[in-house]
Amino acid sequence: LGSKALAQSVADGAPLPGAQTTYPIGLELYAVRRELARDLPDTPKTVAGIGYQVVEFYAPYLAWTIPYAKEVRQQLDDLGIRCFSTHNSFAALTPGETMSKAIEINHILGSRYIILASAPQGTDGVEGWTRLSGQLADASKQLESQGLAAGYHNHSAEWQKLDNGQRIMDVIVLQLDVGTCVEAGADPVGWIKGNPGRIRSIHLKDWAPGSPEQEKGYRVLFREGISPWKGIIAAAESVGGIEFYLMEQEGSRFTEY
């Protein structure tokens, strides 16, 4: 779904409350991971041709050499698209060689945010999530001096309450994944309104009750699920702090392109 069609579909012909500008719509490249692995140079070209304005690379980008990263950036510039964020393993947000390389490549790409794609294995309970929050805070301080920021991509588990009554989502700065929020039974609109300014980007991934074999769950396309998209977009643009949107698809009845 191209960016113009998406913008029209979410707005449904009506202006959004508080919207004073337009917001870029991009694609999390995990959605086309097979094509990306098969032919990386052609993937941004195809994605740009569909109409997307932004791409988000995920963890394999850290295997690039610095010269290759510069080639990718040149291609993005030639296509007129941007990379504002990347998805990463925990090593990219832990002081050391991997974090240094992540900073360098994100600078080359023009990225603003180094996003932790998921919590490290073994993160559990109040102690584990408190520790991770502290580690992300430390990473944010280091990245700030480099003109970057850290972020966290949520999954269903982060909507559950810990033993102290807090939800993980209430303490971590994030990139909001709508589908996992809806699957967990949480209210994405209420959460955005209750946490103004906490969101910089949103994964526009839908969800519907049912099994993958029924083409339900995360296999539904945008607006085929039960997510309240008009309310989500309105809240994100009026109080959420949104800067850009990213489509994400974990599989569907169609090919990646």
Side-chain angles (χ1 to χ4, degrees):
L1 184 62
S3 59
K4 291 183 180 179
L6 175 57
Q8 178 63 35
S9 68
V10 295
D12 207 21
L16 294 171
Q20 299 298 315
T21 185
T22 58
Y23 298 85
I25 298 172
L27 184 69
E28 158 58 66
L29 293 178
Y30 184 78
V32 291
R33 53 196 175 278
R34 296 178 184 84
E35 293 295 332
L36 186 68
R38 185 182 66 83
D39 189 346
L40 191 151
D42 185 66
T43 301
K45 181 179 178 181
T46 302
V47 167
I50 292 171
Y52 291 109
Q53 302 155 297
V54 178
V55 293
E56 183 176 67
F57 291 100
Y58 66 104
Y61 84 92
L62 278 174
W64 299 350
T65 64
I66 298 305
Y68 187 72
K70 292 179 179 179
E71 291 179 17
V72 173
R73 173 59 190 270
Q74 184 61 58
Q75 183 188 23
L76 298 183
D77 289 344
D78 292 344
L79 292 169
I81 59 177
R82 301 288 304 278
C83 174
F84 291 141
S85 59
T86 58
H87 262 210
N88 300 267
S89 67
F90 188 60
L93 290 159
T94 305
E97 184 177 341
T98 302
M99 185 176 187
S100 296
K101 187 175 183 182
I103 290 171
E104 186 171 6
I105 294 182
N106 276 267
H107 276 156
I108 291 169
L109 293 175
S111 171
R112 303 170 184 169
Y113 303 102
I114 296 180
I115 305 293
L116 179 60
S118 61
Q121 188 174 6
T123 303
D124 191 27
V126 175
E127 181 179 348
W129 285 103
T130 299
R131 181 172 61 251
L132 177 59
S133 295
Q135 291 167 323
L136 286 174
D138 290 341
S140 294
K141 291 177 183 177
Q142 294 186 53
L143 293 176
E144 186 177 5
S145 66
Q146 299 290 329
L148 296 164
Y152 183 80
H153 177 85
N154 68 278
H155 297 82
S156 300
E158 288 86 341
W159 295 97
Q160 308 306 316
K161 287 187 177 182
L162 299 171
D163 292 341
N164 64 358
Q166 277 189 310
R167 293 184 306 179
I168 300 156
M169 292 297 297
D170 296 330
V171 297
I172 290 182
V173 176
L174 86 157
Q175 173 188 75
L176 178 63
D177 183 299
V178 173
T180 55
C181 170
V182 173
E183 182 192 24
D187 174 12
V189 177
W191 192 89
I192 294 170
K193 290 181 177 179
N195 294 269
R198 292 268 314 279
I199 297 169
R200 296 294 176 269
S201 62
I202 290 178
H203 273 202
L204 302 176
K205 179 171 70 182
D206 217 335
W207 182 84
S211 69
E213 291 73 23
Q214 298 170 310
E215 294 296 340
K216 299 296 184 180
Y218 297 129
R219 292 184 65 83
V220 296
L221 303 182
F222 178 75
R223 293 194 74 187
E224 288 184 347
I226 62 172
S227 304
W229 289 113
K230 289 183 68 175
I232 290 168
I233 301 299
E237 296 185 3
S238 61
V239 300
I242 188 73
E243 294 178 5
F244 57 98
Y245 297 100
L246 293 160
M247 294 293 293
E248 183 183 19
Q249 194 70 40
E250 294 194 9
S252 74
R253 60 190 181 275
F254 298 107
T255 63
E256 291 182 345
Y257 288 153

Short mmCIF file of all heavy atoms in Angstrom, two decimals, residues 148-171:
data_model
loop_
_atom_site.label_atom_id
_atom_site.label_comp_id
_atom_site.label_asym_id
_atom_site.label_seq_id
_atom_site.Cartn_x
_atom_site.Cartn_y
_atom_site.Cartn_z
N LEU A 148 22.12 11.07 18.67
CA LEU A 148 21.18 9.97 18.46
C LEU A 148 20.37 9.72 19.73
O LEU A 148 20.66 10.31 20.77
CB LEU A 148 21.95 8.69 18.10
CG LEU A 148 22.72 8.70 16.78
CD1 LEU A 148 23.72 7.55 16.74
CD2 LEU A 148 21.77 8.59 15.59
N ALA A 149 19.37 8.86 19.63
CA ALA A 149 18.58 8.50 20.80
C ALA A 149 18.28 7.01 20.75
O ALA A 149 18.23 6.40 19.68
CB ALA A 149 17.28 9.29 20.84
N ALA A 150 18.08 6.43 21.92
CA ALA A 150 17.71 5.01 22.02
C ALA A 150 16.19 4.89 22.08
O ALA A 150 15.49 5.81 22.52
CB ALA A 150 18.34 4.38 23.27
N GLY A 151 15.69 3.76 21.65
CA GLY A 151 14.27 3.49 21.73
C GLY A 151 14.03 2.01 21.93
O GLY A 151 14.97 1.20 21.87
N TYR A 152 12.78 1.64 22.17
CA TYR A 152 12.44 0.25 22.43
C TYR A 152 11.18 -0.12 21.66
O TYR A 152 10.19 0.63 21.66
CB TYR A 152 12.22 0.03 23.92
CG TYR A 152 11.93 -1.41 24.27
CD1 TYR A 152 12.97 -2.33 24.39
CD2 TYR A 152 10.63 -1.86 24.47
CE1 TYR A 152 12.73 -3.65 24.69
CE2 TYR A 152 10.37 -3.19 24.78
CZ TYR A 152 11.43 -4.08 24.89
OH TYR A 152 11.17 -5.40 25.18
N HIS A 153 11.22 -1.28 21.00
CA HIS A 153 10.08 -1.77 20.22
C HIS A 153 9.33 -2.81 21.05
O HIS A 153 9.88 -3.83 21.41
CB HIS A 153 10.60 -2.41 18.93
CG HIS A 153 9.52 -3.03 18.08
ND1 HIS A 153 8.79 -2.30 17.18
CD2 HIS A 153 9.06 -4.30 17.99
CE1 HIS A 153 7.93 -3.08 16.56
NE2 HIS A 153 8.07 -4.31 17.05
N ASN A 154 8.08 -2.52 21.35
CA ASN A 154 7.33 -3.39 22.26
C ASN A 154 6.78 -4.63 21.58
O ASN A 154 6.63 -4.69 20.35
CB ASN A 154 6.16 -2.62 22.88
CG ASN A 154 5.09 -2.27 21.86
OD1 ASN A 154 5.23 -1.28 21.15
ND2 ASN A 154 4.04 -3.06 21.78
N HIS A 155 6.46 -5.61 22.41
CA HIS A 155 5.74 -6.82 22.02
C HIS A 155 4.59 -7.01 23.00
O HIS A 155 4.34 -6.14 23.85
CB HIS A 155 6.69 -8.02 22.00
CG HIS A 155 7.79 -7.88 21.00
ND1 HIS A 155 8.94 -7.16 21.26
CD2 HIS A 155 7.91 -8.33 19.73
CE1 HIS A 155 9.73 -7.18 20.19
NE2 HIS A 155 9.13 -7.87 19.26
N SER A 156 3.89 -8.11 22.91
CA SER A 156 2.71 -8.30 23.75
C SER A 156 3.05 -8.30 25.24
O SER A 156 2.29 -7.79 26.07
CB SER A 156 2.01 -9.62 23.38
OG SER A 156 1.59 -9.61 22.04
N ALA A 157 4.19 -8.90 25.60
CA ALA A 157 4.52 -9.07 27.02
C ALA A 157 4.63 -7.75 27.76
O ALA A 157 4.36 -7.67 28.97
CB ALA A 157 5.83 -9.85 27.15
N GLU A 158 5.03 -6.71 27.07
CA GLU A 158 5.26 -5.42 27.75
C GLU A 158 3.99 -4.74 28.22
O GLU A 158 4.04 -3.74 28.94
CB GLU A 158 6.05 -4.48 26.83
CG GLU A 158 7.50 -4.85 26.64
CD GLU A 158 7.71 -5.86 25.52
OE1 GLU A 158 6.73 -6.54 25.12
OE2 GLU A 158 8.83 -5.99 25.03
N TRP A 159 2.83 -5.28 27.81
CA TRP A 159 1.57 -4.71 28.26
C TRP A 159 1.06 -5.37 29.54
O TRP A 159 0.07 -4.93 30.13
CB TRP A 159 0.51 -4.83 27.16
CG TRP A 159 0.87 -4.00 25.97
CD1 TRP A 159 1.48 -4.42 24.82
CD2 TRP A 159 0.67 -2.60 25.81
NE1 TRP A 159 1.68 -3.37 23.98
CE2 TRP A 159 1.18 -2.24 24.55
CE3 TRP A 159 0.10 -1.60 26.60
CZ2 TRP A 159 1.15 -0.93 24.07
CZ3 TRP A 159 0.06 -0.31 26.13
CH2 TRP A 159 0.58 0.02 24.87
N GLN A 160 1.72 -6.43 29.97
CA GLN A 160 1.30 -7.11 31.18
C GLN A 160 1.88 -6.41 32.41
O GLN A 160 2.94 -5.80 32.35
CB GLN A 160 1.78 -8.57 31.16
CG GLN A 160 1.39 -9.32 29.89
CD GLN A 160 -0.10 -9.28 29.60
OE1 GLN A 160 -0.90 -9.46 30.51
NE2 GLN A 160 -0.45 -9.06 28.35
N LYS A 161 1.17 -6.50 33.53
CA LYS A 161 1.63 -5.85 34.76
C LYS A 161 2.69 -6.69 35.46
O LYS A 161 2.63 -7.92 35.48
CB LYS A 161 0.45 -5.60 35.70
CG LYS A 161 -0.46 -4.48 35.25
CD LYS A 161 -1.51 -4.16 36.31
CE LYS A 161 -2.38 -2.98 35.88
NZ LYS A 161 -3.37 -2.62 36.91
N LEU A 162 3.66 -6.00 36.03
CA LEU A 162 4.68 -6.65 36.84
C LEU A 162 4.16 -6.83 38.26
O LEU A 162 3.06 -6.37 38.60
CB LEU A 162 5.96 -5.81 36.84
CG LEU A 162 6.62 -5.60 35.46
CD1 LEU A 162 7.74 -4.57 35.57
CD2 LEU A 162 7.13 -6.91 34.91
N ASP A 163 4.95 -7.45 39.11
CA ASP A 163 4.51 -7.70 40.48
C ASP A 163 4.24 -6.42 41.26
O ASP A 163 3.45 -6.41 42.22
CB ASP A 163 5.58 -8.52 41.22
CG ASP A 163 5.70 -9.94 40.67
OD1 ASP A 163 4.75 -10.39 40.01
OD2 ASP A 163 6.74 -10.58 40.91
N ASN A 164 4.89 -5.32 40.88
CA ASN A 164 4.68 -4.05 41.60
C ASN A 164 3.51 -3.24 41.02
O ASN A 164 3.28 -2.11 41.44
CB ASN A 164 5.95 -3.21 41.58
CG ASN A 164 6.36 -2.77 40.17
OD1 ASN A 164 5.70 -3.13 39.19
ND2 ASN A 164 7.43 -2.01 40.07
N GLY A 165 2.79 -3.82 40.06
CA GLY A 165 1.62 -3.16 39.49
C GLY A 165 1.92 -2.31 38.27
O GLY A 165 1.00 -1.88 37.57
N GLN A 166 3.19 -2.05 38.00
CA GLN A 166 3.54 -1.27 36.82
C GLN A 166 3.52 -2.13 35.57
O GLN A 166 3.78 -3.33 35.62
CB GLN A 166 4.95 -0.68 36.97
CG GLN A 166 5.03 0.61 37.75
CD GLN A 166 6.41 1.21 37.64
OE1 GLN A 166 7.41 0.53 37.85
NE2 GLN A 166 6.48 2.48 37.31
N ARG A 167 3.23 -1.49 34.45
CA ARG A 167 3.41 -2.16 33.16
C ARG A 167 4.75 -1.72 32.59
O ARG A 167 5.18 -0.57 32.76
CB ARG A 167 2.29 -1.78 32.19
CG ARG A 167 0.93 -2.28 32.58
CD ARG A 167 -0.10 -1.94 31.52
NE ARG A 167 -0.13 -0.52 31.21
CZ ARG A 167 -0.94 0.04 30.31
NH1 ARG A 167 -1.76 -0.72 29.63
NH2 ARG A 167 -0.92 1.33 30.09
N ILE A 168 5.40 -2.62 31.90
CA ILE A 168 6.68 -2.29 31.29
C ILE A 168 6.52 -1.10 30.35
O ILE A 168 7.41 -0.23 30.26
CB ILE A 168 7.22 -3.52 30.53
CG1 ILE A 168 7.40 -4.69 31.49
CG2 ILE A 168 8.52 -3.20 29.80
CD1 ILE A 168 7.38 -6.04 30.84
N MET A 169 5.40 -1.02 29.67
CA MET A 169 5.16 0.06 28.71
C MET A 169 5.13 1.43 29.38
O MET A 169 5.28 2.44 28.71
CB MET A 169 3.84 -0.17 27.98
CG MET A 169 3.85 -1.36 27.05
SD MET A 169 5.05 -1.19 25.71
CE MET A 169 4.39 0.22 24.86
N ASP A 170 4.91 1.45 30.67
CA ASP A 170 4.81 2.74 31.36
C ASP A 170 6.16 3.31 31.75
O ASP A 170 6.24 4.44 32.25
CB ASP A 170 3.95 2.59 32.62
CG ASP A 170 2.51 2.22 32.28
OD1 ASP A 170 2.05 2.61 31.20
OD2 ASP A 170 1.87 1.53 33.09
N VAL A 171 7.24 2.55 31.54
CA VAL A 171 8.55 3.03 31.98
C VAL A 171 9.59 3.07 30.86
O VAL A 171 10.69 3.57 31.06
CB VAL A 171 9.10 2.17 33.15
CG1 VAL A 171 8.19 2.29 34.35
CG2 VAL A 171 9.25 0.71 32.73
#
